[in-house]
């Protein structure tokens, strides 16, 4: 069974950056192979990890439909295996699969369903699975995996941002999302101590991780560089490594 970490939170809070840094920290610690899952239709986790997801599972819809009509004897299972082999990107100590968006005006349900099927099929091959979700809370209800070991929610340091973290925690309970531990991450914090005290009192999360603003991180993203080349002494990376990745066995 794999250990699954799902990252969620509002738009632009730093989910993809943190997901990529977790993957880097896990592989550097020898906790690999990791399956990195980009469950955001506007995929960009691949860039952060220095690979390119050319074929997303959402894009394969048309191909699969044509294939099934040309070869009516092809089984559902064969079709699924084909989708997996075409959309899985192999990195050095990790593989990546991206949901992408279906071509044309289709809804995301299809891509989401295929991704769920694919994960059911392959995630057991990986000791660690890191899922970068789309912004917002709806993705929680889509449940691309049945249970996560760590639900990591990223928020902003404002009052509103912290209230959102709290709301997501309540929502996860209401929706019976099964998770092992809840990790609240506040990104770009100025006042570390006060934010920590406030969060601890309000949420009592299993893990509270506060990350400062870091211009190097911003630059890494702006230049589309792979986080695999982030130095060990980068402040954000160190915190992600020591406070999120290291406690995962
Ligand atoms: N600690 C930080 N210091 C400085 N810049 C940061 C930090 N964390 C994230 N950023 C920057 O904020 C922007 C948004 O980050 P990111 O793409 O990781 O967020 P996201 O939550 O995945 O966004 P989306 O909801 O669009 O998927 C990026 O330009 C990134 O470089
Ligand atoms: Mg993102």
């Amino acid at each position: 069974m794999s250990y699954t970490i799902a990252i969620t939170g509002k738009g632009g809070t730093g989910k993809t950056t943190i997901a990529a840094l977790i993957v880097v920290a896990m592989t550097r610690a020898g906790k690999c192979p990791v399956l990195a899952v980009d469950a955001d239709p506007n995929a960009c986790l691949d860039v952060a990890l220095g690979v390119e997801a050319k074929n997303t599972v959402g894009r394969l819809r048309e191909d699969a439909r044509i294939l099934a009509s040309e070869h009516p004897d092809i089984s559902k299972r064969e079709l699924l295996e084909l989708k997996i082999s075409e959309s899985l990107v192999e990195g050095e100590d990790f593989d990546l699969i991206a949901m992408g968006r279906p071509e044309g005006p289709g809804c995301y349900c299809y891509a989401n369903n295929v991704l769920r099927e694919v994960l059911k099929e392959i995630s057991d091959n990986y000791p660690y699975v890191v899922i970068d979700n789309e912004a917002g809370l709806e993705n929680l209800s889509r449940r691309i995996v049945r249970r996560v070991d760590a639900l990591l929610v990223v928020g902003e340091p404002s009052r509103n941002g912290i209230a959102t973290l709290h709301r997501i925690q309540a929502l996860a309970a209401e929706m019976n999302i099964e998770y092992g531990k809840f990790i609240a991450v506040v990104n770009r914090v100025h006042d570390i101590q006060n934010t920590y005290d406030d969060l601890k009192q309000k949420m009592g999360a299993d893990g509270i991780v506060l990350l400062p603003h870091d211009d190097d991180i911003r630059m890494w993203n702006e230049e589309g560089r792979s986080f695999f080349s982030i130095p060990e002494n980068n402040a954000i990376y160190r915190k992600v490594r020591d406070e999120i990745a290291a406690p995962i066995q």
Side-chain angles (χ1 to χ4, degrees):
M1 274 259 287
S2 38
Y3 187 101
T4 304
I5 309 162
I7 296 132
T8 190
K10 277 174 78 175
T13 46
K15 297 178 296 298
T16 301
T17 304
I18 293 164
L21 292 174
I22 294 174
V23 174
V24 172
M26 304 283 285
T27 59
R28 284 184 182 171
K31 294 173 181 171
C32 48
V34 177
L35 177 64
V37 181
D38 194 340
D40 184 343
N42 298 303
C44 61
L45 183 62
D46 56 342
V47 177
L49 293 173
V51 292
E52 189 188 359
K54 283 199 203 93
N55 293 317
T56 62
V57 294
R59 285 248 162 129
L60 295 171
R61 174 183 217 168
E62 214 26 38
D63 297 359
R65 198 183 58 76
I66 293 168
L67 200 75
S69 66
E70 285 173 355
H71 305 275
D73 52 327
I74 192 165
S75 69
K76 243 185 125 182
R77 174 155 198 96
E78 283 169 313
L79 211 54
L80 181 66
E81 276 166 10
L82 191 79
K83 285 177 193 168
I84 295 170
S85 68
E86 286 198 0
S87 51
L88 198 67
V89 184
E90 290 182 13
E92 207 157 293
D93 292 317
F94 74 98
D95 289 347
L96 177 133
I97 195 137
M99 176 168 110
R101 52 172 83 236
E103 276 178 1
C107 80
Y108 293 144
C109 319
Y110 173 80
N112 203 75
N113 291 344
V114 179
L115 185 60
R116 188 184 300 120
E117 251 180 285
V118 166
L119 290 184
K120 213 188 284 165
E121 190 68 26
I122 64 170
S123 56
D124 277 347
N125 301 340
Y126 301 86
Y128 304 99
V129 178
V130 176
I131 308 174
D132 177 21
N133 284 291
E134 177 187 12
L137 312 183
E138 314 74 46
N139 60 67
L140 280 182
S141 65
R142 292 202 209 113
R143 294 168 201 258
I144 53 168
V145 287
R146 206 180 53 78
R147 178 187 186 280
V148 295
D149 295 283
L151 180 62
L152 193 151
V153 186
V154 190
E156 299 158 340
S158 64
R159 201 178 249 208
N160 205 352
I162 290 174
T164 305
L165 285 182
H166 202 198
R167 210 162 48 236
I168 295 180
Q169 193 182 35
L171 200 71
E174 269 169 39
M175 292 163 115
N176 292 324
I177 305 284
E178 289 180 49
Y179 61 84
K181 64 175 177 175
F182 188 93
I183 306 174
V185 180
V186 187
N187 195 9
R188 296 166 151 169
V189 179
H190 305 291
D191 184 349
I192 300 264
Q193 194 57 51
N194 274 333
T195 312
Y196 182 84
D197 294 345
D198 190 24
L199 264 174
K200 190 79 193 160
Q201 192 200 354
K202 281 201 182 106
M203 301 184 63
D206 304 313
I208 293 175
V209 179
L210 306 181
L211 304 175
H213 178 90
D214 184 300
D215 274 327
D216 284 345
I217 290 286
R218 193 177 45 79
M219 240 172 52
W220 232 265
N221 273 318
E222 271 175 24
E223 293 172 7
R225 282 153 78 181
S226 161
F227 279 110
F228 274 99
S229 54
I230 195 94
E232 285 286 333
N233 63 3
N234 172 272
I236 306 275
Y237 172 73
R238 272 191 359 230
K239 282 196 136 242
V240 169
R241 180 193 65 197
D242 298 345
E243 296 179 29
I244 302 174
I248 296 168
Q249 286 316 314

mmCIF file of all heavy atoms in Angstrom, residues 29-54:
data_model
loop_
_atom_site.group_PDB
_atom_site.id
_atom_site.type_symbol
_atom_site.label_atom_id
_atom_site.label_comp_id
_atom_site.label_asym_id
_atom_site.label_seq_id
_atom_site.Cartn_x
_atom_site.Cartn_y
_atom_site.Cartn_z
ATOM 1 N N ALA A 29 15.582 11.783 -0.284
ATOM 2 C CA ALA A 29 15.737 10.989 0.940
ATOM 3 C C ALA A 29 15.654 9.492 0.636
ATOM 4 O O ALA A 29 15.634 8.668 1.556
ATOM 5 C CB ALA A 29 14.660 11.385 1.943
ATOM 6 N N GLY A 30 15.548 9.149 -0.628
ATOM 7 C CA GLY A 30 15.477 7.731 -1.008
ATOM 8 C C GLY A 30 14.087 7.149 -0.827
ATOM 9 O O GLY A 30 13.888 5.936 -0.905
ATOM 10 N N LYS A 31 13.097 8.001 -0.571
ATOM 11 C CA LYS A 31 11.719 7.512 -0.445
ATOM 12 C C LYS A 31 11.111 7.542 -1.838
ATOM 13 O O LYS A 31 10.431 8.498 -2.228
ATOM 14 C CB LYS A 31 10.926 8.399 0.507
ATOM 15 C CG LYS A 31 11.426 8.323 1.945
ATOM 16 C CD LYS A 31 10.726 9.326 2.818
ATOM 17 C CE LYS A 31 11.248 9.273 4.236
ATOM 18 N NZ LYS A 31 10.755 10.370 5.061
ATOM 19 N N CYS A 32 11.399 6.535 -2.586
ATOM 20 C CA CYS A 32 10.970 6.540 -3.978
ATOM 21 C C CYS A 32 10.779 5.095 -4.471
ATOM 22 O O CYS A 32 11.207 4.176 -3.797
ATOM 23 C CB CYS A 32 11.997 7.277 -4.846
ATOM 24 S SG CYS A 32 13.693 6.775 -4.568
ATOM 25 N N PRO A 33 10.196 4.875 -5.634
ATOM 26 C CA PRO A 33 9.698 5.902 -6.539
ATOM 27 C C PRO A 33 8.412 6.571 -6.021
ATOM 28 O O PRO A 33 7.615 5.954 -5.325
ATOM 29 C CB PRO A 33 9.403 5.116 -7.824
ATOM 30 C CG PRO A 33 9.127 3.727 -7.373
ATOM 31 C CD PRO A 33 9.990 3.512 -6.167
ATOM 32 N N VAL A 34 8.286 7.840 -6.392
ATOM 33 C CA VAL A 34 7.086 8.599 -6.037
ATOM 34 C C VAL A 34 6.218 8.686 -7.284
ATOM 35 O O VAL A 34 6.736 8.870 -8.390
ATOM 36 C CB VAL A 34 7.469 10.037 -5.604
ATOM 37 C CG1 VAL A 34 6.221 10.863 -5.295
ATOM 38 C CG2 VAL A 34 8.398 10.036 -4.403
ATOM 39 N N LEU A 35 4.928 8.547 -7.091
ATOM 40 C CA LEU A 35 4.015 8.846 -8.194
ATOM 41 C C LEU A 35 3.487 10.258 -7.959
ATOM 42 O O LEU A 35 2.830 10.524 -6.950
ATOM 43 C CB LEU A 35 2.854 7.845 -8.248
ATOM 44 C CG LEU A 35 1.815 8.136 -9.343
ATOM 45 C CD1 LEU A 35 2.430 8.027 -10.734
ATOM 46 C CD2 LEU A 35 0.616 7.207 -9.229
ATOM 47 N N ALA A 36 3.833 11.181 -8.862
ATOM 48 C CA ALA A 36 3.340 12.551 -8.768
ATOM 49 C C ALA A 36 2.091 12.650 -9.630
ATOM 50 O O ALA A 36 2.114 12.288 -10.805
ATOM 51 C CB ALA A 36 4.414 13.520 -9.266
ATOM 52 N N VAL A 37 1.001 13.103 -9.028
ATOM 53 C CA VAL A 37 -0.269 13.156 -9.754
ATOM 54 C C VAL A 37 -0.697 14.613 -9.898
ATOM 55 O O VAL A 37 -0.878 15.305 -8.899
ATOM 56 C CB VAL A 37 -1.356 12.367 -8.993
ATOM 57 C CG1 VAL A 37 -2.675 12.400 -9.764
ATOM 58 C CG2 VAL A 37 -0.918 10.927 -8.735
ATOM 59 N N ASP A 38 -0.821 15.060 -11.121
ATOM 60 C CA ASP A 38 -1.300 16.414 -11.354
ATOM 61 C C ASP A 38 -2.791 16.330 -11.620
ATOM 62 O O ASP A 38 -3.220 16.017 -12.722
ATOM 63 C CB ASP A 38 -0.559 17.025 -12.547
ATOM 64 C CG ASP A 38 -0.785 18.524 -12.609
ATOM 65 O OD1 ASP A 38 -1.776 18.995 -12.000
ATOM 66 O OD2 ASP A 38 0.012 19.224 -13.245
ATOM 67 N N ALA A 39 -3.583 16.585 -10.578
ATOM 68 C CA ALA A 39 -5.029 16.464 -10.716
ATOM 69 C C ALA A 39 -5.667 17.816 -11.017
ATOM 70 O O ALA A 39 -6.857 18.006 -10.830
ATOM 71 C CB ALA A 39 -5.617 15.853 -9.446
ATOM 72 N N ASP A 40 -4.853 18.741 -11.487
ATOM 73 C CA ASP A 40 -5.361 20.055 -11.881
ATOM 74 C C ASP A 40 -5.461 20.056 -13.403
ATOM 75 O O ASP A 40 -4.486 19.773 -14.093
ATOM 76 C CB ASP A 40 -4.346 21.119 -11.412
ATOM 77 C CG ASP A 40 -4.825 22.532 -11.678
ATOM 78 O OD1 ASP A 40 -5.759 22.694 -12.492
ATOM 79 O OD2 ASP A 40 -4.259 23.464 -11.091
ATOM 80 N N PRO A 41 -6.655 20.351 -13.951
ATOM 81 C CA PRO A 41 -6.774 20.324 -15.414
ATOM 82 C C PRO A 41 -5.800 21.281 -16.107
ATOM 83 O O PRO A 41 -5.402 21.061 -17.241
ATOM 84 C CB PRO A 41 -8.221 20.737 -15.680
ATOM 85 C CG PRO A 41 -8.879 20.900 -14.376
ATOM 86 C CD PRO A 41 -7.900 20.684 -13.273
ATOM 87 N N ASN A 42 -5.416 22.345 -15.409
ATOM 88 C CA ASN A 42 -4.410 23.250 -15.975
ATOM 89 C C ASN A 42 -3.045 22.802 -15.495
ATOM 90 O O ASN A 42 -2.383 23.483 -14.706
ATOM 91 C CB ASN A 42 -4.666 24.684 -15.519
ATOM 92 C CG ASN A 42 -6.008 25.159 -15.997
ATOM 93 O OD1 ASN A 42 -6.279 25.160 -17.182
ATOM 94 N ND2 ASN A 42 -6.863 25.514 -15.062
ATOM 95 N N ALA A 43 -2.642 21.655 -15.994
ATOM 96 C CA ALA A 43 -1.461 20.987 -15.456
ATOM 97 C C ALA A 43 -0.200 21.852 -15.486
ATOM 98 O O ALA A 43 0.060 22.515 -16.485
ATOM 99 C CB ALA A 43 -1.224 19.723 -16.260
ATOM 100 N N CYS A 44 0.562 21.851 -14.403
ATOM 101 C CA CYS A 44 1.888 22.469 -14.465
ATOM 102 C C CYS A 44 2.868 21.862 -13.471
ATOM 103 O O CYS A 44 3.995 22.327 -13.340
ATOM 104 C CB CYS A 44 1.819 23.977 -14.332
ATOM 105 S SG CYS A 44 1.116 24.490 -12.794
ATOM 106 N N LEU A 45 2.450 20.796 -12.814
ATOM 107 C CA LEU A 45 3.373 20.113 -11.904
ATOM 108 C C LEU A 45 4.539 19.513 -12.684
ATOM 109 O O LEU A 45 5.651 19.400 -12.181
ATOM 110 C CB LEU A 45 2.626 19.015 -11.127
ATOM 111 C CG LEU A 45 3.415 18.236 -10.081
ATOM 112 C CD1 LEU A 45 3.921 19.142 -8.966
ATOM 113 C CD2 LEU A 45 2.574 17.111 -9.479
ATOM 114 N N ASP A 46 4.255 19.132 -13.934
ATOM 115 C CA ASP A 46 5.322 18.546 -14.759
ATOM 116 C C ASP A 46 6.493 19.519 -14.925
ATOM 117 O O ASP A 46 7.654 19.143 -14.759
ATOM 118 C CB ASP A 46 4.782 18.074 -16.131
ATOM 119 C CG ASP A 46 4.085 19.163 -16.935
ATOM 120 O OD1 ASP A 46 3.695 20.189 -16.342
ATOM 121 O OD2 ASP A 46 3.936 18.983 -18.156
ATOM 122 N N VAL A 47 6.183 20.777 -15.212
ATOM 123 C CA VAL A 47 7.247 21.776 -15.402
ATOM 124 C C VAL A 47 8.053 21.921 -14.105
ATOM 125 O O VAL A 47 9.290 21.943 -14.129
ATOM 126 C CB VAL A 47 6.638 23.150 -15.798
ATOM 127 C CG1 VAL A 47 7.718 24.215 -15.918
ATOM 128 C CG2 VAL A 47 5.857 23.017 -17.097
ATOM 129 N N ALA A 48 7.350 21.990 -13.003
ATOM 130 C CA ALA A 48 8.034 22.148 -11.715
ATOM 131 C C ALA A 48 8.956 20.966 -11.417
ATOM 132 O O ALA A 48 9.905 21.081 -10.652
ATOM 133 C CB ALA A 48 7.007 22.326 -10.603
ATOM 134 N N LEU A 49 8.667 19.819 -12.054
ATOM 135 C CA LEU A 49 9.492 18.629 -11.821
ATOM 136 C C LEU A 49 10.422 18.349 -13.011
ATOM 137 O O LEU A 49 11.064 17.302 -13.077
ATOM 138 C CB LEU A 49 8.601 17.411 -11.540
ATOM 139 C CG LEU A 49 7.822 17.483 -10.217
ATOM 140 C CD1 LEU A 49 6.839 16.324 -10.096
ATOM 141 C CD2 LEU A 49 8.780 17.478 -9.024
ATOM 142 N N GLY A 50 10.461 19.279 -13.952
ATOM 143 C CA GLY A 50 11.404 19.166 -15.067
ATOM 144 C C GLY A 50 11.063 18.103 -16.086
ATOM 145 O O GLY A 50 11.958 17.603 -16.780
ATOM 146 N N VAL A 51 9.777 17.737 -16.191
ATOM 147 C CA VAL A 51 9.380 16.776 -17.234
ATOM 148 C C VAL A 51 8.226 17.399 -18.034
ATOM 149 O O VAL A 51 7.742 18.481 -17.686
ATOM 150 C CB VAL A 51 8.938 15.401 -16.641
ATOM 151 C CG1 VAL A 51 10.105 14.666 -16.021
ATOM 152 C CG2 VAL A 51 7.800 15.558 -15.640
ATOM 153 N N GLU A 52 7.796 16.693 -19.059
ATOM 154 C CA GLU A 52 6.682 17.230 -19.844
ATOM 155 C C GLU A 52 5.579 16.184 -19.988
ATOM 156 O O GLU A 52 5.834 15.077 -20.478
ATOM 157 C CB GLU A 52 7.185 17.649 -21.237
ATOM 158 C CG GLU A 52 6.132 18.399 -22.007
ATOM 159 C CD GLU A 52 6.524 18.651 -23.459
ATOM 160 O OE1 GLU A 52 7.635 18.248 -23.859
ATOM 161 O OE2 GLU A 52 5.702 19.227 -24.193
ATOM 162 N N ALA A 53 4.399 16.549 -19.525
ATOM 163 C CA ALA A 53 3.260 15.629 -19.652
ATOM 164 C C ALA A 53 2.583 15.907 -20.980
ATOM 165 O O ALA A 53 1.687 16.745 -21.067
ATOM 166 C CB ALA A 53 2.294 15.839 -18.492
ATOM 167 N N LYS A 54 3.022 15.203 -22.029
ATOM 168 C CA LYS A 54 2.449 15.468 -23.365
ATOM 169 C C LYS A 54 1.042 14.896 -23.456
ATOM 170 O O LYS A 54 0.150 15.502 -23.993
ATOM 171 C CB LYS A 54 3.325 14.798 -24.435
ATOM 172 C CG LYS A 54 4.590 15.569 -24.724
ATOM 173 C CD LYS A 54 5.155 15.137 -26.084
ATOM 174 C CE LYS A 54 6.629 15.430 -26.179
ATOM 175 N NZ LYS A 54 7.504 14.323 -25.778
#
